[in-house]
Short mmCIF file of all heavy atoms in Angstrom, two decimals:
data_model
loop_
_atom_site.label_atom_id
_atom_site.label_comp_id
_atom_site.label_asym_id
_atom_site.label_seq_id
_atom_site.Cartn_x
_atom_site.Cartn_y
_atom_site.Cartn_z
N SER A 1 5.42 44.47 84.94
CA SER A 1 4.52 43.69 84.10
C SER A 1 5.16 42.35 83.76
O SER A 1 6.39 42.23 83.73
CB SER A 1 4.18 44.44 82.82
OG SER A 1 5.26 44.43 81.94
N TYR A 2 4.35 41.36 83.54
CA TYR A 2 4.82 40.00 83.28
C TYR A 2 4.85 39.73 81.78
O TYR A 2 3.90 40.07 81.08
CB TYR A 2 3.91 38.97 83.95
CG TYR A 2 3.95 39.05 85.45
CD1 TYR A 2 2.90 39.61 86.15
CD2 TYR A 2 5.04 38.57 86.16
CE1 TYR A 2 2.92 39.69 87.53
CE2 TYR A 2 5.08 38.64 87.54
CZ TYR A 2 4.02 39.21 88.22
OH TYR A 2 4.05 39.28 89.58
N GLN A 3 5.92 39.12 81.35
CA GLN A 3 6.01 38.67 79.95
C GLN A 3 5.76 37.16 79.95
O GLN A 3 6.44 36.41 80.64
CB GLN A 3 7.41 38.98 79.40
CG GLN A 3 7.57 38.70 77.94
CD GLN A 3 6.84 39.71 77.06
OE1 GLN A 3 6.70 40.87 77.44
NE2 GLN A 3 6.39 39.28 75.91
N ILE A 4 4.77 36.74 79.18
CA ILE A 4 4.42 35.33 79.09
C ILE A 4 4.93 34.76 77.77
O ILE A 4 4.72 35.35 76.71
CB ILE A 4 2.89 35.12 79.17
CG1 ILE A 4 2.31 35.68 80.48
CG2 ILE A 4 2.52 33.66 78.98
CD1 ILE A 4 2.67 34.89 81.70
N LEU A 5 5.61 33.63 77.86
CA LEU A 5 6.10 32.95 76.67
C LEU A 5 5.21 31.75 76.38
O LEU A 5 4.88 30.99 77.28
CB LEU A 5 7.54 32.47 76.89
CG LEU A 5 8.58 33.54 77.21
CD1 LEU A 5 9.92 32.89 77.50
CD2 LEU A 5 8.70 34.52 76.08
N ARG A 6 4.84 31.60 75.13
CA ARG A 6 4.08 30.43 74.73
C ARG A 6 5.05 29.31 74.39
O ARG A 6 6.26 29.51 74.25
CB ARG A 6 3.19 30.77 73.52
CG ARG A 6 2.16 31.89 73.80
CD ARG A 6 1.18 31.55 74.93
NE ARG A 6 0.44 30.34 74.66
CZ ARG A 6 -0.68 30.26 73.96
NH1 ARG A 6 -1.22 31.36 73.48
NH2 ARG A 6 -1.26 29.10 73.74
N LEU A 7 4.52 28.10 74.22
CA LEU A 7 5.35 26.91 74.04
C LEU A 7 6.39 27.03 72.92
O LEU A 7 7.56 26.68 73.15
CB LEU A 7 4.47 25.67 73.84
CG LEU A 7 5.21 24.34 73.77
CD1 LEU A 7 6.00 24.07 75.04
CD2 LEU A 7 4.24 23.22 73.50
N PRO A 8 6.04 27.52 71.72
CA PRO A 8 7.08 27.61 70.68
C PRO A 8 8.28 28.46 71.10
O PRO A 8 9.42 28.13 70.77
CB PRO A 8 6.33 28.24 69.50
CG PRO A 8 4.90 27.86 69.70
CD PRO A 8 4.71 27.89 71.20
N ALA A 9 8.03 29.54 71.83
CA ALA A 9 9.12 30.39 72.29
C ALA A 9 9.97 29.67 73.35
O ALA A 9 11.19 29.78 73.36
CB ALA A 9 8.58 31.70 72.86
N VAL A 10 9.31 28.91 74.23
CA VAL A 10 10.03 28.16 75.27
C VAL A 10 10.88 27.07 74.62
O VAL A 10 12.04 26.88 74.99
CB VAL A 10 9.04 27.57 76.30
CG1 VAL A 10 9.75 26.67 77.29
CG2 VAL A 10 8.31 28.69 77.03
N ILE A 11 10.34 26.40 73.63
CA ILE A 11 11.09 25.38 72.89
C ILE A 11 12.30 26.03 72.22
O ILE A 11 13.42 25.50 72.30
CB ILE A 11 10.18 24.68 71.85
CG1 ILE A 11 9.18 23.78 72.57
CG2 ILE A 11 11.01 23.89 70.83
CD1 ILE A 11 8.09 23.21 71.67
N SER A 12 12.10 27.17 71.60
CA SER A 12 13.18 27.87 70.92
C SER A 12 14.27 28.31 71.88
O SER A 12 15.46 28.16 71.61
CB SER A 12 12.61 29.08 70.17
OG SER A 12 13.63 29.80 69.55
N LEU A 13 13.88 28.85 73.03
CA LEU A 13 14.85 29.33 74.01
C LEU A 13 15.63 28.21 74.67
O LEU A 13 16.83 28.34 74.91
CB LEU A 13 14.14 30.15 75.10
CG LEU A 13 13.84 31.60 74.80
CD1 LEU A 13 12.96 32.19 75.89
CD2 LEU A 13 15.14 32.39 74.70
N THR A 14 14.95 27.12 75.01
CA THR A 14 15.59 26.07 75.80
C THR A 14 16.24 24.99 74.95
O THR A 14 17.13 24.30 75.41
CB THR A 14 14.57 25.38 76.72
OG1 THR A 14 13.57 24.73 75.92
CG2 THR A 14 13.93 26.37 77.68
N GLY A 15 15.76 24.82 73.71
CA GLY A 15 16.25 23.72 72.88
C GLY A 15 15.62 22.38 73.25
O GLY A 15 16.00 21.35 72.71
N LEU A 16 14.67 22.41 74.17
CA LEU A 16 13.98 21.18 74.58
C LEU A 16 12.73 20.98 73.73
O LEU A 16 12.14 21.93 73.25
CB LEU A 16 13.56 21.27 76.06
CG LEU A 16 14.67 21.44 77.08
CD1 LEU A 16 14.07 21.65 78.46
CD2 LEU A 16 15.61 20.25 77.08
N GLY A 17 12.32 19.74 73.58
CA GLY A 17 11.09 19.43 72.88
C GLY A 17 9.89 19.53 73.81
O GLY A 17 10.03 19.59 75.03
N ARG A 18 8.71 19.54 73.21
CA ARG A 18 7.47 19.67 73.96
C ARG A 18 7.34 18.59 75.04
O ARG A 18 7.07 18.89 76.20
CB ARG A 18 6.29 19.58 72.99
CG ARG A 18 4.94 19.65 73.63
CD ARG A 18 3.83 19.37 72.60
NE ARG A 18 2.52 19.55 73.19
CZ ARG A 18 1.92 18.63 73.95
NH1 ARG A 18 2.53 17.49 74.22
NH2 ARG A 18 0.72 18.87 74.45
N SER A 19 7.53 17.33 74.67
CA SER A 19 7.34 16.24 75.62
C SER A 19 8.37 16.31 76.75
O SER A 19 8.06 16.01 77.90
CB SER A 19 7.38 14.88 74.93
OG SER A 19 8.61 14.71 74.26
N THR A 20 9.59 16.73 76.44
CA THR A 20 10.63 16.86 77.46
C THR A 20 10.28 17.96 78.44
O THR A 20 10.44 17.79 79.66
CB THR A 20 12.00 17.14 76.81
OG1 THR A 20 12.31 16.10 75.89
CG2 THR A 20 13.10 17.26 77.85
N ILE A 21 9.78 19.07 77.94
CA ILE A 21 9.37 20.18 78.81
C ILE A 21 8.29 19.71 79.78
O ILE A 21 8.40 19.93 81.00
CB ILE A 21 8.87 21.38 77.97
CG1 ILE A 21 10.07 22.04 77.26
CG2 ILE A 21 8.11 22.39 78.84
CD1 ILE A 21 9.69 23.06 76.21
N TYR A 22 7.27 19.03 79.28
CA TYR A 22 6.18 18.59 80.15
C TYR A 22 6.65 17.50 81.12
O TYR A 22 6.25 17.49 82.29
CB TYR A 22 4.97 18.14 79.34
CG TYR A 22 4.18 19.33 78.83
CD1 TYR A 22 4.27 19.74 77.50
CD2 TYR A 22 3.37 20.06 79.68
CE1 TYR A 22 3.57 20.85 77.05
CE2 TYR A 22 2.67 21.17 79.24
CZ TYR A 22 2.77 21.56 77.93
OH TYR A 22 2.07 22.66 77.49
N ALA A 23 7.53 16.60 80.67
CA ALA A 23 8.06 15.56 81.56
C ALA A 23 8.87 16.19 82.69
O ALA A 23 8.74 15.80 83.86
CB ALA A 23 8.92 14.57 80.77
N LYS A 24 9.71 17.17 82.34
CA LYS A 24 10.52 17.85 83.36
C LYS A 24 9.64 18.65 84.32
O LYS A 24 9.95 18.76 85.51
CB LYS A 24 11.56 18.76 82.70
CG LYS A 24 12.73 17.98 82.10
CD LYS A 24 13.77 18.94 81.56
CE LYS A 24 15.00 18.21 81.09
NZ LYS A 24 15.76 17.59 82.18
N MET A 25 8.55 19.21 83.83
CA MET A 25 7.62 19.92 84.70
C MET A 25 7.04 18.97 85.74
O MET A 25 6.99 19.30 86.93
CB MET A 25 6.46 20.52 83.89
CG MET A 25 6.66 21.96 83.48
SD MET A 25 5.31 22.60 82.45
CE MET A 25 3.85 22.17 83.33
N ILE A 26 6.62 17.79 85.30
CA ILE A 26 6.04 16.79 86.20
C ILE A 26 7.06 16.36 87.24
O ILE A 26 6.74 16.17 88.41
CB ILE A 26 5.52 15.58 85.39
CG1 ILE A 26 4.28 16.00 84.59
CG2 ILE A 26 5.20 14.40 86.30
CD1 ILE A 26 3.85 15.01 83.53
N GLU A 27 8.34 16.24 86.83
CA GLU A 27 9.41 15.84 87.74
C GLU A 27 9.87 16.97 88.64
O GLU A 27 10.72 16.78 89.51
CB GLU A 27 10.61 15.33 86.93
CG GLU A 27 10.33 14.07 86.14
CD GLU A 27 11.41 13.77 85.11
OE1 GLU A 27 12.40 14.53 85.02
OE2 GLU A 27 11.26 12.77 84.38
N GLY A 28 9.34 18.18 88.43
CA GLY A 28 9.75 19.33 89.23
C GLY A 28 11.08 19.91 88.81
O GLY A 28 11.72 20.64 89.56
N GLN A 29 11.51 19.60 87.58
CA GLN A 29 12.81 20.05 87.09
C GLN A 29 12.69 21.15 86.03
O GLN A 29 13.66 21.46 85.34
CB GLN A 29 13.59 18.86 86.50
CG GLN A 29 13.90 17.79 87.51
CD GLN A 29 14.60 16.61 86.88
OE1 GLN A 29 14.86 16.59 85.69
NE2 GLN A 29 14.88 15.62 87.68
N PHE A 30 11.51 21.70 85.90
CA PHE A 30 11.27 22.77 84.93
C PHE A 30 10.16 23.66 85.48
O PHE A 30 9.27 23.16 86.17
CB PHE A 30 10.86 22.18 83.56
CG PHE A 30 10.94 23.17 82.43
CD1 PHE A 30 12.16 23.44 81.83
CD2 PHE A 30 9.81 23.82 81.97
CE1 PHE A 30 12.25 24.35 80.78
CE2 PHE A 30 9.89 24.72 80.92
CZ PHE A 30 11.12 24.98 80.33
N PRO A 31 10.21 24.96 85.20
CA PRO A 31 9.16 25.87 85.74
C PRO A 31 7.75 25.43 85.34
O PRO A 31 7.53 24.95 84.23
CB PRO A 31 9.51 27.22 85.09
CG PRO A 31 10.95 27.14 84.74
CD PRO A 31 11.21 25.70 84.41
N LYS A 32 6.84 25.62 86.26
CA LYS A 32 5.44 25.31 86.00
C LYS A 32 4.84 26.32 85.02
O LYS A 32 5.21 27.50 85.03
CB LYS A 32 4.63 25.36 87.30
CG LYS A 32 5.03 24.29 88.30
CD LYS A 32 4.24 23.03 88.07
CE LYS A 32 4.46 22.00 89.15
NZ LYS A 32 5.38 20.95 88.77
N SER A 33 3.94 25.84 84.21
CA SER A 33 3.26 26.73 83.28
C SER A 33 2.15 27.49 84.00
O SER A 33 1.73 27.11 85.09
CB SER A 33 2.67 25.94 82.11
OG SER A 33 1.78 24.95 82.59
N VAL A 34 1.71 28.57 83.39
CA VAL A 34 0.62 29.40 83.90
C VAL A 34 -0.57 29.22 82.98
O VAL A 34 -0.44 29.36 81.75
CB VAL A 34 1.05 30.90 83.90
CG1 VAL A 34 -0.08 31.79 84.37
CG2 VAL A 34 2.29 31.11 84.74
N ARG A 35 -1.71 28.88 83.54
CA ARG A 35 -2.91 28.70 82.72
C ARG A 35 -3.41 30.06 82.26
O ARG A 35 -3.65 30.95 83.05
CB ARG A 35 -4.00 27.97 83.51
CG ARG A 35 -5.22 27.71 82.66
CD ARG A 35 -6.01 26.51 83.07
NE ARG A 35 -5.32 25.23 82.99
CZ ARG A 35 -5.03 24.57 81.87
NH1 ARG A 35 -5.35 25.10 80.71
NH2 ARG A 35 -4.43 23.42 81.89
N LEU A 36 -3.55 30.21 80.95
CA LEU A 36 -3.99 31.49 80.38
C LEU A 36 -5.45 31.45 79.97
O LEU A 36 -6.09 32.48 79.84
CB LEU A 36 -3.13 31.82 79.16
CG LEU A 36 -1.63 31.93 79.41
CD1 LEU A 36 -0.88 32.09 78.10
CD2 LEU A 36 -1.33 33.05 80.37
N GLY A 37 -5.96 30.26 79.73
CA GLY A 37 -7.35 30.10 79.31
C GLY A 37 -7.70 28.63 79.35
O GLY A 37 -6.91 27.81 79.83
N ALA A 38 -8.84 28.28 78.82
CA ALA A 38 -9.29 26.89 78.87
C ALA A 38 -8.32 25.94 78.19
O ALA A 38 -8.12 24.82 78.65
CB ALA A 38 -10.67 26.78 78.23
N ARG A 39 -7.71 26.39 77.10
CA ARG A 39 -6.82 25.50 76.34
C ARG A 39 -5.46 26.10 76.06
O ARG A 39 -4.79 25.72 75.10
CB ARG A 39 -7.48 25.13 75.01
CG ARG A 39 -8.73 24.28 75.17
CD ARG A 39 -9.34 23.99 73.82
NE ARG A 39 -8.34 23.48 72.89
CZ ARG A 39 -8.34 22.27 72.36
NH1 ARG A 39 -9.31 21.45 72.63
NH2 ARG A 39 -7.40 21.88 71.51
N SER A 40 -5.04 27.07 76.88
CA SER A 40 -3.75 27.69 76.61
C SER A 40 -2.96 27.90 77.89
O SER A 40 -3.52 28.22 78.94
CB SER A 40 -3.94 29.02 75.87
OG SER A 40 -4.66 29.92 76.65
N VAL A 41 -1.66 27.68 77.77
CA VAL A 41 -0.75 27.92 78.88
C VAL A 41 0.44 28.71 78.37
O VAL A 41 0.69 28.79 77.16
CB VAL A 41 -0.25 26.61 79.54
CG1 VAL A 41 -1.40 25.83 80.15
CG2 VAL A 41 0.53 25.77 78.55
N GLY A 42 1.17 29.27 79.29
CA GLY A 42 2.40 29.97 78.96
C GLY A 42 3.33 29.87 80.16
O GLY A 42 2.97 29.32 81.20
N TRP A 43 4.51 30.38 80.00
CA TRP A 43 5.51 30.38 81.07
C TRP A 43 5.98 31.80 81.29
O TRP A 43 6.11 32.56 80.33
CB TRP A 43 6.70 29.50 80.69
CG TRP A 43 6.42 28.04 80.76
CD1 TRP A 43 6.74 27.20 81.78
CD2 TRP A 43 5.77 27.23 79.79
NE1 TRP A 43 6.32 25.92 81.50
CE2 TRP A 43 5.72 25.91 80.27
CE3 TRP A 43 5.20 27.49 78.53
CZ2 TRP A 43 5.14 24.87 79.57
CZ3 TRP A 43 4.62 26.46 77.83
CH2 TRP A 43 4.59 25.17 78.34
N LEU A 44 6.26 32.13 82.54
CA LEU A 44 6.82 33.44 82.82
C LEU A 44 8.23 33.50 82.24
O LEU A 44 9.04 32.60 82.47
CB LEU A 44 6.88 33.69 84.33
CG LEU A 44 5.57 33.96 85.04
CD1 LEU A 44 5.79 34.05 86.54
CD2 LEU A 44 4.95 35.25 84.52
N GLU A 45 8.49 34.55 81.48
CA GLU A 45 9.80 34.69 80.85
C GLU A 45 10.91 34.66 81.90
O GLU A 45 11.95 34.04 81.70
CB GLU A 45 9.86 35.99 80.05
CG GLU A 45 11.15 36.16 79.29
CD GLU A 45 11.18 37.43 78.46
OE1 GLU A 45 10.55 38.43 78.85
OE2 GLU A 45 11.84 37.40 77.42
N THR A 46 10.68 35.30 83.05
CA THR A 46 11.70 35.32 84.10
C THR A 46 11.99 33.91 84.62
O THR A 46 13.14 33.58 84.89
CB THR A 46 11.28 36.23 85.27
OG1 THR A 46 9.99 35.84 85.72
CG2 THR A 46 11.27 37.69 84.85
N ASP A 47 10.96 33.07 84.73
CA ASP A 47 11.16 31.68 85.18
C ASP A 47 12.03 30.91 84.20
O ASP A 47 12.91 30.14 84.61
CB ASP A 47 9.82 30.95 85.35
CG ASP A 47 9.03 31.41 86.56
OD1 ASP A 47 9.59 32.18 87.39
OD2 ASP A 47 7.86 30.99 86.68
N ILE A 48 11.79 31.11 82.91
CA ILE A 48 12.57 30.39 81.89
C ILE A 48 14.01 30.88 81.90
O ILE A 48 14.95 30.07 81.85
CB ILE A 48 11.93 30.56 80.49
CG1 ILE A 48 10.51 29.99 80.47
CG2 ILE A 48 12.81 29.91 79.42
CD1 ILE A 48 10.39 28.52 80.88
N HIS A 49 14.22 32.19 81.99
CA HIS A 49 15.58 32.73 82.01
C HIS A 49 16.32 32.28 83.27
O HIS A 49 17.51 31.96 83.21
CB HIS A 49 15.57 34.24 81.86
CG HIS A 49 15.30 34.69 80.47
ND1 HIS A 49 16.18 34.47 79.43
CD2 HIS A 49 14.24 35.31 79.92
CE1 HIS A 49 15.67 34.95 78.31
NE2 HIS A 49 14.49 35.46 78.58
N ASP A 50 15.63 32.24 84.41
CA ASP A 50 16.25 31.75 85.65
C ASP A 50 16.64 30.29 85.51
O ASP A 50 17.73 29.88 85.94
CB ASP A 50 15.30 31.92 86.85
CG ASP A 50 15.11 33.37 87.25
OD1 ASP A 50 15.87 34.24 86.77
OD2 ASP A 50 14.18 33.63 88.03
N TRP A 51 15.76 29.47 84.92
CA TRP A 51 16.04 28.05 84.72
C TRP A 51 17.26 27.87 83.83
O TRP A 51 18.14 27.06 84.12
CB TRP A 51 14.80 27.36 84.11
CG TRP A 51 14.98 25.89 83.94
CD1 TRP A 51 14.74 24.91 84.86
CD2 TRP A 51 15.42 25.21 82.76
NE1 TRP A 51 15.02 23.69 84.33
CE2 TRP A 51 15.43 23.84 83.03
CE3 TRP A 51 15.81 25.64 81.48
CZ2 TRP A 51 15.82 22.88 82.10
CZ3 TRP A 51 16.20 24.68 80.56
CH2 TRP A 51 16.20 23.33 80.87
N LEU A 52 17.33 28.65 82.74
CA LEU A 52 18.48 28.58 81.84
C LEU A 52 19.76 29.00 82.56
O LEU A 52 20.80 28.35 82.41
CB LEU A 52 18.25 29.46 80.62
CG LEU A 52 17.27 28.92 79.58
CD1 LEU A 52 16.90 30.01 78.59
CD2 LEU A 52 17.85 27.71 78.87
N SER A 53 19.71 30.05 83.36
CA SER A 53 20.88 30.50 84.11
C SER A 53 21.37 29.41 85.05
O SER A 53 22.58 29.19 85.18
CB SER A 53 20.55 31.76 84.91
OG SER A 53 20.30 32.84 84.06
N ASP A 54 20.44 28.73 85.70
CA ASP A 54 20.81 27.62 86.60
C ASP A 54 21.50 26.50 85.83
O ASP A 54 22.49 25.94 86.31
CB ASP A 54 19.58 27.06 87.32
CG ASP A 54 19.01 28.03 88.35
OD1 ASP A 54 19.69 29.02 88.70
OD2 ASP A 54 17.87 27.79 88.80
N ARG A 55 20.97 26.17 84.65
CA ARG A 55 21.60 25.11 83.84
C ARG A 55 23.02 25.51 83.43
O ARG A 55 23.94 24.70 83.45
CB ARG A 55 20.80 24.83 82.56
CG ARG A 55 19.37 24.36 82.73
CD ARG A 55 19.17 23.00 83.36
NE ARG A 55 19.34 22.97 84.80
CZ ARG A 55 18.51 23.53 85.69
NH1 ARG A 55 17.46 24.21 85.33
NH2 ARG A 55 18.75 23.44 86.99
N ILE A 56 23.20 26.78 83.06
CA ILE A 56 24.52 27.27 82.65
C ILE A 56 25.48 27.19 83.83
O ILE A 56 26.61 26.71 83.68
CB ILE A 56 24.41 28.70 82.09
CG1 ILE A 56 23.65 28.68 80.76
CG2 ILE A 56 25.79 29.32 81.92
CD1 ILE A 56 23.18 30.04 80.29
N GLN A 57 25.04 27.64 85.00
CA GLN A 57 25.89 27.58 86.19
C GLN A 57 26.27 26.15 86.53
O GLN A 57 27.43 25.86 86.82
CB GLN A 57 25.19 28.21 87.39
CG GLN A 57 25.37 29.71 87.48
CD GLN A 57 24.87 30.24 88.80
OE1 GLN A 57 23.79 29.86 89.26
NE2 GLN A 57 25.64 31.11 89.42
N GLU A 58 25.31 25.23 86.50
CA GLU A 58 25.58 23.81 86.79
C GLU A 58 26.61 23.26 85.81
O GLU A 58 27.53 22.55 86.19
CB GLU A 58 24.30 22.98 86.70
CG GLU A 58 23.39 23.14 87.88
CD GLU A 58 22.08 22.37 87.69
OE1 GLU A 58 22.00 21.52 86.79
OE2 GLU A 58 21.14 22.63 88.46
N SER A 59 26.43 23.59 84.55
CA SER A 59 27.32 23.11 83.51
C SER A 59 28.74 23.62 83.73
O SER A 59 29.72 22.87 83.60
CB SER A 59 26.81 23.53 82.14
OG SER A 59 27.66 23.08 81.12
N GLN A 60 28.87 24.90 84.08
CA GLN A 60 30.19 25.48 84.31
C GLN A 60 30.85 24.87 85.55
O GLN A 60 32.05 24.59 85.54
CB GLN A 60 30.08 27.00 84.45
CG GLN A 60 29.76 27.67 83.14
CD GLN A 60 29.46 29.16 83.28
OE1 GLN A 60 29.15 29.64 84.35
NE2 GLN A 60 29.54 29.87 82.17
N CYS A 61 30.07 24.61 86.60
CA CYS A 61 30.62 24.00 87.80
C CYS A 61 31.09 22.58 87.51
O CYS A 61 32.15 22.16 87.99
CB CYS A 61 29.57 23.99 88.93
SG CYS A 61 29.24 25.60 89.63
N GLU A 62 30.32 21.82 86.74
CA GLU A 62 30.71 20.46 86.38
C GLU A 62 31.99 20.47 85.54
O GLU A 62 32.88 19.66 85.75
CB GLU A 62 29.59 19.77 85.59
CG GLU A 62 28.40 19.39 86.44
CD GLU A 62 27.22 18.90 85.62
OE1 GLU A 62 27.36 18.68 84.40
OE2 GLU A 62 26.14 18.74 86.21
N ALA A 63 32.09 21.42 84.63
CA ALA A 63 33.28 21.52 83.78
C ALA A 63 34.51 21.86 84.62
O ALA A 63 35.59 21.28 84.42
CB ALA A 63 33.07 22.57 82.69
N GLU A 64 34.35 22.76 85.59
CA GLU A 64 35.46 23.11 86.48
C GLU A 64 35.88 21.92 87.32
O GLU A 64 37.07 21.67 87.53
CB GLU A 64 35.08 24.29 87.36
CG GLU A 64 35.01 25.62 86.62
CD GLU A 64 34.46 26.74 87.49
OE1 GLU A 64 34.38 26.57 88.73
OE2 GLU A 64 34.12 27.79 86.93
N ALA A 65 34.90 21.18 87.83
CA ALA A 65 35.20 20.01 88.67
C ALA A 65 35.94 18.94 87.87
O ALA A 65 36.88 18.33 88.37
CB ALA A 65 33.90 19.44 89.26
N GLN A 66 35.53 18.74 86.63
CA GLN A 66 36.21 17.76 85.77
C GLN A 66 37.62 18.22 85.43
O GLN A 66 38.55 17.42 85.36
CB GLN A 66 35.42 17.52 84.49
CG GLN A 66 34.16 16.71 84.71
CD GLN A 66 33.34 16.55 83.44
OE1 GLN A 66 33.65 17.15 82.41
NE2 GLN A 66 32.29 15.75 83.52
N HIS A 67 37.79 19.51 85.25
CA HIS A 67 39.10 20.06 84.89
C HIS A 67 40.08 19.93 86.07
O HIS A 67 41.25 19.69 85.87
CB HIS A 67 38.94 21.54 84.49
CG HIS A 67 40.20 22.17 84.03
ND1 HIS A 67 40.81 21.81 82.84
CD2 HIS A 67 41.00 23.11 84.58
CE1 HIS A 67 41.92 22.52 82.70
NE2 HIS A 67 42.06 23.32 83.75
N GLU A 68 39.55 20.05 87.30
CA GLU A 68 40.40 19.98 88.49
C GLU A 68 40.82 18.56 88.82
O GLU A 68 41.85 18.34 89.43
CB GLU A 68 39.68 20.60 89.69
CG GLU A 68 39.52 22.11 89.57
CD GLU A 68 38.66 22.70 90.67
OE1 GLU A 68 38.23 21.95 91.56
OE2 GLU A 68 38.41 23.93 90.63
N SER A 69 40.03 17.57 88.41
CA SER A 69 40.36 16.19 88.78
C SER A 69 41.19 15.48 87.73
O SER A 69 41.60 15.97 86.76
CB SER A 69 39.09 15.38 89.02
OG SER A 69 38.25 15.41 87.89
#
């Protein structure tokens, strides 16, 4: 079964603001939302967790690279 997160939960999990989330979506740097109804969208919880995991991995790799140089 799919768990859908609404915008307040996505903001809370990511620490990003509403406008940043939508800007990153347009740039292809954030998971696409899922249309739930005429005026509502949500995000798959797995997509958000995967995105966060990628950011953590990137951050750790950058920190290691800086530490080595």
